[in-house]
Amino acid sequence: MILIGLTGSIGMGKSTTAAMFREAGVPVYDADAAVHDLYDQGGAAVGPVGEAFPGAIRDGRVDREALRQAVLGNPEALKRLNAIVHPLVGRDRVGFFAKAEAEGADMVVLDIPLLFETGGHANVDAVVVASAPAQMQRDRVLARPGMTPERLDAILAQQLADVEKRTRAHFVVDTSRGLEPAREQVAEIIAVMRDPQRRPARDRTTD
């Protein structure tokens, strides 16, 4: 099975790009959605996160904003959180792979916001980065309810710079030109990955 890693900084159109892969019939694993389930009532992460960050639990679930505040600007706290969450997400992903394989999928997309930051790029056959000009990114994000320039800058500080992601990617989907051009780019990526003669070398992302 061909594994495609999809990533992109906040506001770059990654979720829209993931939806386009789904529309094309490629199963997509949404890491954010998996974490949301783990953080919800009864989720496997609630207990261990509560032990590590007691103030982050509200009504039996993880309060994502409180947790964000607890790890923001604190690399050690973020490392502690990742050590809890990543193994749980990994187990969930195994189930996704089994289901996709049983349904006859020849490729899947792993939608992972921090793909490079967590080293996940080393485990996929190709990396796709959703990207747009920096000003468009800021305009998109600052239009979200409750978002401020300071909060956006803090989020970006935890993410690999877009220029670095684009440099290390096998494919870049430019989301600044509208939905149809982006959809065409996604279709071409799928076609290339299914063609052994055109498929890029996997080790590009391990630099």
Side-chain angles (χ1 to χ4, degrees):
M1 185 182 294
I2 299 168
L3 307 184
I4 299 175
L6 172 63
T7 191
S9 299
I10 184 172
M12 289 300 196
K14 179 180 61 61
S15 296
T16 299
T17 302
M20 292 175 180
F21 275 102
R22 285 194 188 92
E23 290 170 7
V26 179
V28 176
Y29 180 79
D30 186 335
D32 266 354
V35 171
H36 186 275
D37 289 342
L38 290 169
Y39 284 175
D40 206 354
Q41 285 187 340
V46 175
V49 169
E51 291 180 10
F53 307 95
I57 304 300
R58 301 279 191 279
D59 300 322
R61 58 171 56 89
V62 176
D63 183 324
R64 298 189 70 157
E65 179 58 23
L67 183 60
R68 187 187 73 82
Q69 292 293 338
V71 302
L72 194 62
N74 187 335
E76 283 304 313
L78 183 60
K79 183 178 180 180
R80 191 160 67 251
L81 175 63
N82 288 340
I84 294 169
V85 176
H86 289 169
L88 296 174
V89 172
R91 287 200 288 272
D92 184 71
R93 193 161 55 235
V94 168
F96 164 81
F97 285 145
K99 182 174 184 292
E101 188 170 18
E103 293 175 349
D106 65 337
M107 73 170 60
V108 297
V109 169
L110 306 179
D111 177 353
I112 305 177
L114 300 178
L115 181 70
F116 286 118
E117 293 85 345
T118 59
H121 61 285
N123 302 318
V124 299
D125 297 301
V127 172
V128 177
V129 168
S131 184
Q135 189 56 54
M136 179 176 286
Q137 176 192 29
R138 293 191 72 86
D139 291 345
R140 287 172 175 174
V141 179
L142 291 176
R144 298 179 183 181
M147 183 59 68
T148 65
E150 293 76 18
R151 181 177 176 187
L152 171 57
D153 289 340
I155 292 171
L156 291 176
Q158 293 184 333
Q159 299 182 344
L160 192 68
D162 178 61
V163 64
E164 179 68 15
K165 287 178 180 175
R166 287 188 279 110
T167 298
R168 299 173 68 181
H170 295 89
F171 305 97
V172 177
V173 175
D174 181 355
T175 66
S176 69
R177 295 185 287 140
L179 294 178
E180 280 310 310
R183 192 170 282 112
E184 291 171 5
Q185 293 172 73
V186 167
E188 177 63 11
I189 291 168
I190 293 171
V192 169
M193 290 303 297
R194 282 181 171 152
D195 184 346
Q197 300 302 316
R198 301 169 66 197
R199 191 180 304 156
R202 176 174 178 168
D203 62 0
R204 175 181 175 84
T205 63
T206 61
D207 296 339

